[in-house]
C-alpha cells in the first residue's frame, strides 16, 4: 500500500510574546495509507486541528515546527515551494476547514467558487455532477451566494469544492460541529458514500466520538499534544486501553443513563406560559402559541434544531425579550411580561439565566468576585458558598475570565445566578461549547445542585441524550411550535413526532457503529 | 510578529515618548526659560539665520524665532485640552445614551451625530470667530461640540456591541440599571477604543485651531502661535526658511506623536 501521510516524531511549539514555549504537538508519529479512514478525537487544545493543518501545509501564526519529519504524499508541505504547494492543494490534498461561515467568499456565487478552483473554462455540467456527488441537486445552487444557503448545504458545497480535483487525501476539521444533529448525520452519510466510491484517504478531526465512530476505521485519541491511543475504531470504542480515552467515552451522555431520577408528582408552578407567540421582523413566528408549565423543583428540557425557537423561549421567560401575544405569569400570578426594570427585586431574583458561550458570560475586566457581587450585593462569604456549590475553590475569587477554562467560566456563571436565590434557573445550551469530559462534570454538578436546592430548571439543548439525563419533562420545538411534550420516559421510549423519532434514533445509535 | 518588527515598534515608541515629553515640558516651562521675550523686536537683525544670540534666527520684525516657537504651542494646547475634554464628555454621553435608549431616541441622536459630522467644521468656526471674535472660550466650546461627533459615533457603536453580550444581559436580569450598565459593564471594556478616538480628535482640534490662526481668526498678533507664525512668515520664507519650518516642525511633530501614540495596536 502507498503511504499518503507520514509524521515522524513531529514536535510543534507555540511561542507567545514573552517567548514562552508551550508544546502543541509532542513527538507525534502517524502513518496513513491510501484509502484509509482515520478519525482523530480529543478535547480542545489537544493539538488535533494543528496536526490536520500541518498535513495540509498550514501552520497557524505563532506556531513553530521544531523537529520531526512531515510527509504528505512524499512532500513536506510546510517547507515546500509555495508554487508546488499550491499545485498540491486540491489535487493531492484538500482541507475542509471548521468554520462554515468563513470558508466561502461571501461576494462570490457558488459557480464562481468552482471557477476559482477549476479555472473559468469549466462547464456547468462538471460543477453540477460534483455538486450532485455531494448530495446537492439542481441548477439553483450555481447562482446562489453563501448567505443564501443553509449550514448543511454549505458543508456539502465545501465538500464538493474539496473533492472536485480528486485529491488522494481529504482532511476534515470538525465537519459537523456547526450543524444540527439531523443534518450532521446526513452530511456524514454523504462523506462515507463518497469515500467508498472514490477511495481517497480520509482524516476526520472531531471532538465528538460519535462522528469519528461513524466515518473511520482507525481512530487516534489525542490529549495535550500527544497521541494516547491509536487503533481500530471498533476496538478503541469498545475496549479503550488509555485512561483518557476511557474518561472520554464515559463522559458521553447516553440516552437511558440518568443523572437524577425524574420527578413525576405535580408541584405548584413557578412559571406558567400560555399561548405565547413571538413575532420577529414583522412576520416570522419565532414562537407560535407555546404553552408550558414549570412546577417547583421540576427540570424541563427543551430540544429542537437551530431556529426552532428554543432560545427565544428562554429569553421570553427571563424577560429579556418581550412577547407579541399570550401570557406569562409566575407562581404568585405576577405578570412576567412586565419589563425587567419595572419588576420588584423579589420577582427579578426568581428567574435567572445562564448562557451558552462561556467566553461571553463574564465581563472580561472583572474578577470572579467582582462579577458575582456587583449586582447581587453578596458579601465574600456568600460568594464563597456559591462557588463551593459549583465546586470551585476560594482561589477563583481573584481570577479574571482570561485566566479560566470554559468549564470554570460556566461554573462561575451558574454560581452568580445562584446568588440571586432563583426559583427557576434557565440554562441555554450551557454545555455545548465545552469538551465532552468537562460537559459531563458540569451536568453532574447541575444535577447535584438541583437536588440540593430544589430549584426548577428549564434547559435548552440540541443533545437529546444530555437533556434526557437531567430532565423530568421534555418539550420538542419545531419552527416555533411545540410538536411533542411529555415525561422524559414517554418521549424517548415512544416518540410520536417524526422529528423526535429521528433524534431519538440518532442518539440511540450514536456510539454503536 | 517577529522580533525585528517588534524592536522597530519599541524604537518608534521611545521616539514618540521623547517627542511628547519635549512638547509637554516646553509648553509648561517656556515662560521660565531664559529666552528673549517673544515680542521683543531686534530692529538691527530682521530675517536673520542662525546666530549665537538668535539660535533659530529672527522673523520679519526681528523677533526671536526660538522663543516664539517654544511659546507657540501654549495657546493651541490650552484650547485643545479644553475642547477635547468637552468633546469627550459630550461624545461619550451622547453615544452611550443613544445605544442604551434604543428605538426612536437612538435614531434621533444618531441623525444628530450625522448632522454634526456633515457640517464643515472650518467654515462654521470661521462664522463663529467672525461673529464672536477671538474669544478662546467660545472657540473651545464650538470645537468641543463639533469634534464630539466622531467620539459619539464610536461610543455608540461599541456600546451597542457590548449591550448585546451575555454578561450585560445577566446584569439586566440581576437588576442593573442603565447607568450601571454603561459605567459598570460597557465603559470598562470600550475605554481603549474611545480613548484612542478622543486622542485622535485632540490632534484634529490642534490642527483646526492652528488653521484658524493661519486664516487670521484664531490667535491674534502678536501672540506667538504656530499657525499664526506660519501665516506671518510665509511671505518671507525664501529669505529665512526657518521662520516657517520651525513652527511647522513643532506642529507636525506634536500631531504625529499623539497619533503614533494611540495607533500602536
Amino acid at each position: 500500500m502507498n503511504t499518503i501521510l507520514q509524521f515522524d516524531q513531529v514536535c510543534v511549539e507555540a511561542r507567545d510574546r514573552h517567548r514562552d514555549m508551550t508544546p502543541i504537538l509532542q513527538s507525534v508519529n502517524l502513518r496513513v495509507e491510501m484509502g484509509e479512514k482515520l478519525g482523530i478525537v480529543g478535547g480542545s487544545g489537544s493539538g488535533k486541528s494543528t496536526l490536520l493543518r500541518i498535513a495540509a501545509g498550514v501552520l497557524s501564526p505563532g506556531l513553530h515546527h521544531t523537529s520531526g519529519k512531515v510527509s504528505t504524499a512524499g512532500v513536506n508541505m510546510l517547507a515546500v515551494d509555495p508554487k508546488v504547494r499550491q499545485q498540491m492543494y486540491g489535487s493531492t490534498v484538500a482541507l475542509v476547514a471548521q468554520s462554515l461561515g468563513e470558508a466561502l467568499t461571501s461576494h462570490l456565487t457558488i459557480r464562481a467558487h468552482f471557477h476559482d478552483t477549476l479555472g473559468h473554462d469549466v462547464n456547468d455540467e462538471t460543477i453540477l455532477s460534483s455538486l450532485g456527488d455531494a448530495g446537492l441537486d439542481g441548477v439553483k445552487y450555481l447562482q446562489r451566494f453563501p448567505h443564501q444557503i443553509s449550514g448543511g448545504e454549505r458543508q456539502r458545497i465545501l465538500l464538493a469544492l474539496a473533492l472536485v480535483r480528486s485529491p488522494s487525501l481529504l482532511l476534515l476539521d470538525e465537519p459537523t460541529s456547526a450543524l444540527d444533529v439531523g443534518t450532521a448525520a446526513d452530511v456524514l452519510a454523504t462523506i462515507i458514500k463518497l469515500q467508498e466510491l472514490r477511495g481517497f484517504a480520509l482524516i476526520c478531526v472531531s471532538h465528538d466520538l460519535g462522528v469519528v465512530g461513524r466515518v473511520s476505521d482507525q481512530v487516534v485519541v489525542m490529549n495535550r499534544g500527544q497521541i494516547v491511543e491509536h487503533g481500530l475504531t471498533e476496538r478503541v470504542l469498545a475496549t479503550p486501553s488509555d485512561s483518557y480515552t476511557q474518561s472520554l467515552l464515559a463522559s458521553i451522555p447516553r440516552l437511558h443513563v440518568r443523572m437524577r431520577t425524574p420527578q413525576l408528582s405535580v408541584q405548584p408552578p413557578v412559571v406558567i406560559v400560555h399561548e405565547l407567540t413571538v413575532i420577529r421582523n414583522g412576520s416570522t413566528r419565532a414562537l407560535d402559541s407555546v404553552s408550558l408549565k414549570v412546577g417547583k423543583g421540576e427540570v424541563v428540557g427543551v430540544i429542537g434544531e437551530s431556529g426552532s425557537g428554543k432560545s427565544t423561549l428562554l429569553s421570553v421567560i427571563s424577560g429579556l425579550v418581550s412577547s407579541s401575544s399570550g401570557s406569562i405569569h409566575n407562581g404568585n400570578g405576577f405578570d412576567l411580561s412586565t419589563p425587567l426594570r419595572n419588576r420588584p427585586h423579589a420577582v427579578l431574583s426568581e428567574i435567572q439565566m445562564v448562557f451558552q458561550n462561556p467566553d461571553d458570560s463574564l465581563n472580561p475586566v472583572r474578577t470572579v468576585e467582582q462579577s458575582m457581587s456587583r449586582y447581587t450585593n453578596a458579601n465574600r462569604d456568600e460568594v464563597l458558598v456559591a462557588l463551593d456549590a459549583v465546586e470551585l475553590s476560594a482561589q477563583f475569587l481573584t481570577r479574571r475570565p482570561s485566566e479560566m477554562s470554559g468549564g470554570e467560566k460556566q461554573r462561575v456563571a451558574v454560581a452568580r445566578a445562584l446568588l440571586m436565590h432563583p426559583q427557576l434557573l434557565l440554562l441555554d445550551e450551557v454545555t455545548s461549547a465545552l469538551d465532552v469530559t468537562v460537559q459531563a462534570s458540569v451536568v453532574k454538578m447541575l444535577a447535584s445542585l438541583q437536588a440540593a436546592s430544589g430549584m426548577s430548571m428549564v434547559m435548552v439543548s440540541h443533545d437529546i441524550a444530555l437533556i434526557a439525563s437531567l430532565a423530568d419533562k421534555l418539550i420538542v420545538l419545531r419552527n416555533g411550535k411545540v410538536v411533542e411534550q411529555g415525561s422524559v420516559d414517554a418521549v424517548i421510549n415512544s416518540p410520536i413526532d417524526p422529528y423526535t423519532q429521528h433524534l431519538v434514533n440518532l442518539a440511540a445509535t450514536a456510539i454503536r457503529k | 510578529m517577529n522580533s525585528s518588527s517588534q524592536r522597530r515598534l519599541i524604537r518608534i515608541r521611545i521616539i514618540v515618548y521623547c517627542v511628547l515629553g519635549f512638547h509637554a515640558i516646553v509648553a509648561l516651562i517656556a515662560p521660565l526659560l531664559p529666552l528673549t521675550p517673544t515680542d521683543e523686536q531686534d530692529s538691527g537683525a530682521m530675517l536673520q539665520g542662525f546666530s549665537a544670540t538668535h539660535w533659530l534666527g529672527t522673523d520679519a520684525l526681528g523677533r526671536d524665532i526660538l522663543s516664539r516657537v517654544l511659546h507657540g504651542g501654549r495657546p493651541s494646547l490650552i484650547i485643545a485640552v479644553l475642547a477635547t475634554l468637552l468633546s469627550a464628555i459630550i461624545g461619550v454621553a451622547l453615544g452611550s445614551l443613544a445605544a442604551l435608549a434604543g428605538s426612536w431616541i437612538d435614531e434621533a441622536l444618531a441623525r444628530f451625530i450625522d448632522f454634526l459630522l456633515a457640517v464643515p467644521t472650518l467654515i462654521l468656526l470661521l462664522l463663529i470667530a467672525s461673529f464672536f471674535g477671538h474669544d478662546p472660550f467660545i472657540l473651545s466650546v464650538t470645537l468641543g461640540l463639533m469634534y464630539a461627533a466622531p467620539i459619539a459615533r464610536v461610543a455608540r457603536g461599541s456600546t451597542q456591541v457590548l449591550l448585546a453580550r451575555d454578561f450585560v444581559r445577566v446584569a439586566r436580569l440581576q437588576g442593573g440599571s442603565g447607568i450601571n450598565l454603561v459605567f459598570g459593564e460597557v465603559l470598562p471594556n470600550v475605554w481603549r477604543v474611545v480613548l484612542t478616538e478622543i486622542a485622535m480628535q485632540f490632534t484634529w482640534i490642534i490642527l483646526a485651531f492652528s488653521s484658524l490662526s493661519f486664516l487670521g481668526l484664531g490667535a491674534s498678533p502678536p501672540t506667538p502661535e504656530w499657525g499664526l507664525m506660519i501665516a506671518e512668515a510665509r511671505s518671507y520664507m525664501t529669505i529665512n526658511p526657518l521662520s516657517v519650518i520651525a513652527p511647522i516642525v513643532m506642529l507636525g511633530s506634536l500631531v504625529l506623536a499623539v497619533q503614533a501614540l494611540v495607533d500602536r495596536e
Side-chain angles (χ1 to χ4, degrees), chain A residues 17 19 318 320 340 348 351-353 355-357 359-366 374-376 416-417 420, chain B residues 3 6 164-177 179-181 183-186 188-189 191:
Chain A
R17 275 185 306 174
R19 310 194 146 212
S318 70
L320 287 170
L340 286 170
L348 205 61
I351 302 175
Q352 289 296 309
M353 185 158 169
F355 293 87
Q356 178 172 5
N357 184 353
D359 297 326
D360 211 35
S361 58
L362 298 173
N363 191 334
V365 302
R366 291 254 161 69
R374 184 168 171 90
Y375 299 101
T376 56
R416 175 178 50 185
M420 298 291 279
Chain B
S3 52
Q6 225 162 14
R165 303 229 355 220
D166 290 341
F167 60 82
V168 178
R169 293 190 192 164
V170 171
R172 288 174 59 199
L173 287 177
Q174 300 199 330
S177 67
I179 296 278
N180 272 332
L181 297 185
F183 285 98
E185 310 298 330
V186 175
N189 283 297
W191 66 268

Side-chain angles (χ1 to χ4, degrees), chain A residues 356-406:
Chain A
Q356 178 172 5
N357 184 353
D359 297 326
D360 211 35
S361 58
L362 298 173
N363 191 334
V365 302
R366 291 254 161 69
T367 63
V368 166
E369 186 176 16
Q370 289 166 342
S371 272
M372 289 177 67
S373 59
R374 184 168 171 90
Y375 299 101
T376 56
N377 297 320
N379 59 31
R380 175 165 284 194
D381 291 334
E382 289 167 312
V383 170
L384 282 174
V385 170
L387 281 179
D388 188 53
V390 295
E391 295 151 20
L392 291 179
S393 64
Q395 60 179 2
F396 279 89
L397 284 176
T398 53
R399 297 235 183 130
R400 282 175 214 280
S402 57
E403 300 161 325
M404 291 188 285
S405 70

Side-chain angles (χ1 to χ4, degrees), chain A residues 1-320:
Chain A
M1 271 217 265
N2 281 331
T3 304
I4 183 78
L5 180 70
Q6 188 160 5
F7 276 57
D8 271 327
Q9 301 285 336
V10 174
C11 294
V12 170
E13 285 175 346
R15 258 171 242 172
D16 67 8
R17 275 185 306 174
H18 314 292
R19 310 194 146 212
D20 289 338
M21 309 278 219
T22 318
I24 302 295
L25 291 181
Q26 305 183 41
S27 304
V28 168
N29 291 312
L30 189 67
R31 204 184 161 97
V32 181
E33 307 296 337
M34 274 303 296
E36 190 179 323
K37 293 182 281 181
L38 176 77
I40 303 178
V41 279
S44 43
S46 62
K48 55 190 195 307
S49 288
T50 305
L51 192 157
L52 196 74
R53 290 162 66 89
I54 288 176
V58 190
L59 202 54
S60 309
L63 296 189
H64 301 268
H65 176 205
T66 48
S67 66
K69 200 173 144 250
V70 183
S71 143
T72 310
V75 177
N76 177 2
M77 295 270 287
L78 287 175
V80 81
D81 181 38
K83 275 185 190 159
V84 180
R85 181 163 53 200
Q86 199 153 16
Q87 275 168 8
M88 287 178 71
Y89 276 139
S91 61
T92 308
V93 52
L95 172 70
V96 178
Q98 177 172 9
S99 168
L100 288 180
E102 292 164 17
L104 294 169
T105 310
S106 51
H107 70 279
L108 293 182
T109 60
I110 303 310
R111 184 192 273 124
H113 276 93
F114 278 91
H115 285 175
D116 256 10
T117 312
L118 293 173
H120 285 268
D121 44 355
V122 70
N123 56 17
D124 281 356
E125 271 119 71
T126 320
I127 302 178
L128 283 176
S129 85
S130 156
L131 283 175
D133 287 347
L136 292 174
D137 286 325
V139 203
K140 61 178 181 182
Y141 289 102
L142 290 179
Q143 287 293 357
R144 292 213 183 157
F145 288 95
H147 67 270
Q148 293 171 314
I149 54 181
S150 72
E153 289 164 342
R154 228 175 273 176
Q155 186 69 58
R156 284 172 191 279
I157 282 165
L158 288 174
L159 206 59
L161 278 168
L163 290 177
V164 72
R165 289 172 66 199
S166 314
S168 349
L169 176 62
L170 178 66
L171 307 168
L172 299 170
D173 195 358
E174 300 276 6
T176 58
S177 63
L179 305 177
D180 283 321
V181 187
T183 320
D186 296 343
V187 168
L188 285 181
T190 307
I191 293 173
I192 295 164
K193 200 187 79 193
L194 279 168
Q195 198 279 334
E196 279 165 7
L197 211 66
R198 306 212 187 161
F200 49 79
L202 171 74
I203 303 182
C204 175
V205 157
S206 179
H207 67 282
D208 187 340
L209 269 171
V211 170
V212 164
R214 259 163 224 249
V215 298
S216 68
D217 301 326
Q218 295 267 330
V219 67
V220 159
V221 183
M222 292 192 69
N223 188 25
R224 299 179 184 193
Q226 285 172 323
I227 293 182
V228 294
E229 188 153 7
H230 185 178
L232 284 175
T233 306
E234 278 170 47
R235 203 273 302 158
V236 172
L237 292 188
T239 53
S241 57
D242 179 75
S243 62
Y244 177 74
T245 319
Q246 286 162 1
S247 73
L248 207 59
L249 272 166
S251 305
I252 298 171
R254 316 272 162 144
L255 201 50
H256 296 279
V257 179
R258 294 289 151 75
M259 302 297 289
R260 56 186 282 277
T261 30
Q263 262 183 27
L264 295 171
S265 59
V266 179
Q267 297 288 332
V270 291
V271 70
I272 306 156
V273 175
H274 185 67
E275 301 275 312
L276 197 71
T277 299
V278 173
I279 297 174
R280 285 247 169 100
N281 305 329
S283 58
T284 320
R285 284 174 183 255
L287 282 180
D288 196 352
S289 306
V290 171
S291 296
L292 156 80
K293 221 181 251 183
V294 184
K296 195 167 163 38
E298 193 174 40
V299 178
V300 177
V302 181
I303 39 177
E305 54 196 358
S306 36
S308 62
K310 51 193 198 307
S311 287
T312 309
L313 179 62
L314 288 196
S315 298
V316 178
I317 297 177
S318 70
L320 287 170

Side-chain angles (χ1 to χ4, degrees), chain B residues 31-264:
Chain B
L32 307 176
L33 293 174
L35 296 163
T36 323
T38 55
D39 47 1
E40 189 183 286
Q41 302 183 1
D42 187 345
S43 47
M46 287 183 286
L47 294 170
Q48 298 292 308
F50 307 100
S51 69
T53 37
H54 304 291
W55 290 3
L56 289 182
T58 54
D59 67 3
L61 298 175
R63 295 175 298 193
D64 184 54
I65 292 177
L66 178 67
S67 168
R68 290 180 67 76
V69 104
L70 292 185
H71 282 84
R74 292 163 61 88
S76 354
L77 279 174
I78 291 169
I79 290 204
V81 167
L82 274 179
T84 309
L85 277 178
L86 192 68
S87 65
I89 294 169
I90 298 176
V92 172
L94 210 62
S96 47
L97 178 69
L100 200 62
S103 72
W104 66 269
I105 301 179
D106 180 34
E107 202 60 34
L109 288 177
R111 291 298 83 79
F112 176 64
I113 294 169
D114 287 347
F115 167 74
L116 285 184
L117 286 169
V119 175
T121 310
L122 203 57
I123 294 178
L124 182 84
L125 283 171
L126 287 175
L127 265 178
I128 301 267
S130 48
F131 272 116
F132 299 98
H134 304 311
D135 186 340
F137 178 73
I138 291 180
L139 277 181
S140 305
V141 171
T142 316
L143 282 165
L145 183 66
M146 296 309 291
Y147 285 89
I151 298 172
R153 196 169 56 167
V154 168
R156 173 172 171 262
S158 26
T159 306
Q160 277 176 335
V161 172
L162 259 291
L163 284 180
R165 303 229 355 220
D166 290 341
F167 60 82
V168 178
R169 293 190 192 164
V170 171
R172 288 174 59 199
L173 287 177
Q174 300 199 330
S177 67
I179 296 278
N180 272 332
L181 297 185
V182 168
F183 285 98
E185 310 298 330
V186 175
L187 286 182
N189 283 297
V190 303
W191 66 268
R192 268 170 188 281
V193 185
V194 174
L195 207 61
T196 303
E197 189 61 32
I198 291 172
M200 293 305 278
Q201 297 314 314
F202 174 75
T203 63
W204 297 131
I205 291 173
I206 289 180
L207 284 176
F209 182 72
S210 291
S211 311
L212 216 53
S213 301
F214 180 84
L215 296 171
L217 289 162
S220 42
T223 318
E225 201 282 332
W226 296 329
L228 186 60
M229 286 174 73
I230 298 170
E232 288 170 344
R234 72 193 147 140
S235 329
Y236 313 104
M237 79 181 150
T238 48
I239 306 171
N240 184 7
L242 271 178
S243 57
V244 179
I245 293 172
I248 288 177
V249 166
M250 290 293 277
L251 185 59
S253 63
L254 175 61
V255 167
L256 285 177
V258 174
Q259 297 198 346
L261 178 77
V262 296
D263 190 31
R264 58 185 173 190

